[in-house]
Amino acid sequence: MADKSVSFHIEPSKSARSSCKKCKEKIQKDVLRIAHSVSDGEKNFTSYHHVKCFNKPQKVSGTSIKGMSVADFVEEYIEDPHGIFDDEDKLAEIIADIESKPPKSEKSNVYANKIATYKRALEDMEDKDDEGKSSASKKARTDLEEKARAYAVYNSKKNAELQDILRWNLGYGTSGTKEVLLTRCIDGRVNGRLARCPVCSQGKLGLSDEDGGELLPYFYPRYFTFLLNRQMHCSKWP
C-alpha cells in the first residue's frame, strides 16, 4: 500500500458549491478557503475549510508538528499558488484567523431548544386529566405530541444506540451531540424512513441546519461512495 501524501493550499473559492468541513456552511465564491488534500497514488480526496475554521493539525504525514507555531506552519506547509501571501497584511490576517477559535455554531442551540420543547410537551401530556387518565396514553393529536412521544422512546438510549438507529434510517448522519442524534431519531420515527433519490437511487434527502434538522423538500444530487472514498454526483440530474 502506497504512503499517503498530504498537502495544503490556500485559494479563493471557485464557486459556492463546496462546504466547510468544520462548520458545514457553504464557502461562497471568491472567499478564501484552505484545501487539505490526501493522496495514496491512486485516489485523491480534498476537503475545504474557511480560514477561520481551519485548525493547525498535530501531525503532517506522520510527522509531529505540535510545537510549531501557526505562522511557521503557514510558511512551511500551506502552498500559495495565487500569491495571496505576497500581501503582508493579508498574510498576518490569515495567521490571526487560524490562531483564533471560530465562533460557536448556533446549530447546537437549535437542537437543544427542540429537545427541550419535546420534553416540556411530554411533561404536559403526562399530567392527569379530569378522568384521571394521562394525556400521554391517548392518541397524539398534533405533530408536537407525536414528537414528544418519540422523545420518550429514545431519550434513555445511549449515543451508540441512536447511531445504530440512524444507520438503518439511511440518509441521516451519525455524528453530533446527543441532542442532534435525538432530533434525527425523533424525525425518523414521526415522518418515516428516509427515501433515496428517485433519479439515481443513491442520493439522500438534504437536512436543513437552519431549522434544526427538518427535511428539505429536495434531494441532494450526490452521494458518498466508500469504494472511491469521495462524493459522487448523479449523472442524470439536470
Side-chain angles (χ1 to χ4, degrees):
M1 182 176 179
D3 293 335
K4 290 184 178 180
S5 172
V6 179
S7 63
F8 303 88
H9 70 268
I10 189 169
E11 64 180 8
S13 181
K14 299 174 183 177
S15 68
R17 293 193 300 269
S18 64
S19 297
C20 175
K21 188 176 180 181
K22 177 70 175 180
C23 71
K24 311 303 181 185
E25 300 293 337
K26 291 293 184 182
I27 302 176
Q28 298 303 313
K29 184 178 180 181
D30 295 328
V31 171
L32 286 181
R33 66 184 182 183
I34 295 178
H36 176 198
S37 301
V38 180
S39 172
D40 62 3
E42 296 181 358
K43 296 178 291 185
N44 298 285
F45 178 76
T46 302
S47 59
Y48 299 97
H49 290 79
H50 291 108
V51 175
K52 284 190 174 183
C53 293
F54 180 80
N55 291 323
K56 182 180 74 68
Q58 300 297 308
K59 291 183 178 181
V60 175
S61 300
T63 302
S64 175
I65 58 170
K66 188 174 181 179
M68 179 180 288
S69 69
V70 170
D72 289 341
F73 171 79
V74 170
E75 180 180 357
E76 184 170 344
Y77 287 101
I78 298 184
E79 299 175 13
D80 178 26
H82 298 276
I84 297 168
F85 295 161
D86 293 343
D87 184 336
E88 293 185 0
D89 291 337
K90 191 63 178 178
L91 174 59
E93 180 184 335
I94 290 169
I95 292 173
D97 284 344
I98 296 175
E99 289 177 333
S100 66
K101 293 182 179 180
K104 186 177 180 181
S105 172
E106 295 182 0
K107 296 176 188 176
S108 58
N109 293 331
V110 173
Y111 287 109
N113 290 338
K114 278 184 172 289
I115 295 302
T117 299
Y118 302 151
K119 183 179 180 180
R120 287 194 299 269
L122 181 64
E123 291 172 349
D124 292 340
M125 292 166 64
E126 289 174 341
D127 290 340
K128 301 293 184 178
D129 63 9
D130 294 338
E131 299 176 355
K133 190 175 183 181
S134 67
S135 299
S137 64
K138 297 180 180 179
K139 184 178 180 180
R141 292 172 294 180
T142 66
D143 179 72
L144 179 57
E145 288 184 356
E146 288 187 28
K147 291 183 177 179
R149 290 186 180 165
Y151 165 81
V153 172
Y154 295 122
N155 183 50
S156 61
K157 295 186 181 297
K158 297 181 179 179
N159 283 14
E161 295 175 299
L162 297 175
Q163 289 169 336
D164 285 340
I165 294 169
L166 293 172
R167 290 188 186 96
W168 179 86
N169 206 17
L170 295 178
Y172 284 119
T174 56
S175 62
T177 64
K178 177 71 175 287
E179 288 83 2
V180 173
L181 300 178
L182 264 177
T183 302
R184 292 171 180 169
C185 285
I186 290 169
D187 183 89
R189 187 176 181 89
V190 172
N191 297 312
R193 193 180 190 188
L194 297 182
R196 292 290 188 177
C197 172
V199 178
C200 68
S201 76
Q202 294 291 332
K204 301 176 182 179
L205 275 169
L207 296 176
S208 169
D209 292 319
E210 287 74 17
D211 59 11
E214 299 294 339
L215 296 182
L216 292 171
Y218 61 83
F219 288 86
Y220 283 141
R222 62 180 185 272
Y223 58 94
F224 184 84
T225 169
F226 287 98
L227 181 63
L228 300 176
N229 194 34
R230 62 177 296 183
Q231 292 278 349
M232 298 293 292
H233 287 262
C234 174
S235 60
K236 298 180 181 180
W237 199 270

